[in-house]
Amino acid sequence: IKVSALLKKQSVKLSVSDMLKAGTIEKMALAVNQSEANITQSEVDNALEESLKGIEVKALLQSYGIDQQDTEITMPVTAGQTYFLAMHSLNPEVFYPKFYYLASAQFNPLVLNCAWSRLIDETRMLRTAFLATGNSQVPYIQTVLKSVRNPPTWHDDLHHAVSIRHDFGSVLVALHVCQTSRGVAFMLHLHHALYDAVGLPLMMDRLAQLCSEFKSEPRHGSHNLSHL
């Protein structure tokens, strides 16, 4: 349901039943290319409404200080996300991996602030908040916020970077940065329920591209981010 809803937002028409019939990513891609069936927005809305049955979404959002008008879409979480979020309450730190990167060139904080802000606008992962529902059937849901202000934090040393908030209802992502003699070092700190092995490298590649685009002085190639 989540995948179908997100695909619909990208104008890709693939119903939940089509995905179940296909079984693999390759066959899903073929189904998208070959199928003449149109999935309507009402079908997606109905599927989401059914999956969230029994949850007063508007009231739940308000209990976390979120206005429903400030959200793009609210969905159930996946089985994997449910596990990570359930474990979150037992030991939050374990489920906040830290990813370290090094940029190949120096640039000023304004460049990174602009690039990171644009990346947040482009990337739903960076605007997703999880909510605990108190419902045993659907213990958690996720909502994508339309706008998030979450600037990077600069440090003299990344070892002094402070852990991010562990609160449901907030965006569980932080970017910590420091200047080094070798370039700009990054520590990306985000909840395990947000990322995957494919999307994370692509996202950081995009950040490097945006840093190059926002760089005010003449360019000398792109700012490659090397994973450490």
Side-chain angles (χ1 to χ4, degrees), residues 138-160:
V138 186
Y140 309 101
I141 63 174
Q142 57 189 322
T143 190
V144 180
L145 304 173
K146 291 180 180 178
S147 177
V148 168
R149 188 179 183 279
N150 187 16
T153 304
W154 289 78
H155 305 270
D156 293 330
D157 188 322
L158 286 182
H159 294 311
H160 298 149

Side-chain angles (χ1 to χ4, degrees), residues 6-171:
L6 292 176
L7 287 174
K8 175 60 180 176
K9 292 285 185 179
Q10 300 299 320
S11 300
V12 177
K13 299 173 182 177
L14 188 67
S15 68
V16 175
S17 61
D18 288 337
M19 286 188 286
L20 293 174
K21 290 176 184 176
T24 67
I25 298 296
E26 182 180 5
K27 290 181 180 178
M28 288 181 198
L30 290 173
V32 170
N33 291 331
Q34 296 173 357
S35 176
E36 296 181 359
N38 292 326
I39 180 171
T40 66
Q41 184 61 48
S42 62
E43 288 176 313
V44 174
D45 292 342
N46 290 339
L48 285 174
E49 184 178 350
E50 182 63 26
S51 68
L52 297 173
K53 195 172 182 179
I55 298 173
E56 294 291 338
V57 173
K58 184 176 181 179
L60 180 63
L61 289 168
Q62 288 178 338
S63 72
Y64 282 92
I66 301 172
D67 191 319
Q68 192 170 27
Q69 293 184 343
D70 295 331
T71 67
E72 285 185 7
I73 188 170
T74 300
M75 304 169 285
V77 299
T78 66
Q81 288 174 317
T82 298
Y83 171 78
F84 291 131
L85 294 170
M87 294 298 100
H88 160 108
S89 60
L90 300 177
N91 194 343
E93 289 292 341
V94 172
F95 296 93
Y96 283 90
K98 298 175 181 178
F99 298 92
Y100 291 88
Y101 301 86
L102 183 68
S104 57
Q106 297 282 0
F107 47 85
N108 64 54
L110 180 59
V111 169
L112 180 61
N113 288 352
C114 293
W116 179 244
S117 179
R118 174 71 65 81
L119 188 68
I120 290 174
D121 291 342
E122 294 179 357
T123 311
R124 284 180 167 176
M125 178 199 309
L126 303 178
R127 292 184 282 111
T128 295
F130 298 104
L131 314 177
T133 66
N135 184 308
S136 60
Q137 298 299 315
V138 186
Y140 309 101
I141 63 174
Q142 57 189 322
T143 190
V144 180
L145 304 173
K146 291 180 180 178
S147 177
V148 168
R149 188 179 183 279
N150 187 16
T153 304
W154 289 78
H155 305 270
D156 293 330
D157 188 322
L158 286 182
H159 294 311
H160 298 149
V162 178
S163 295
I164 61 176
R165 293 178 299 171
H166 301 152
D167 305 331
F168 286 114
S170 61
V171 176

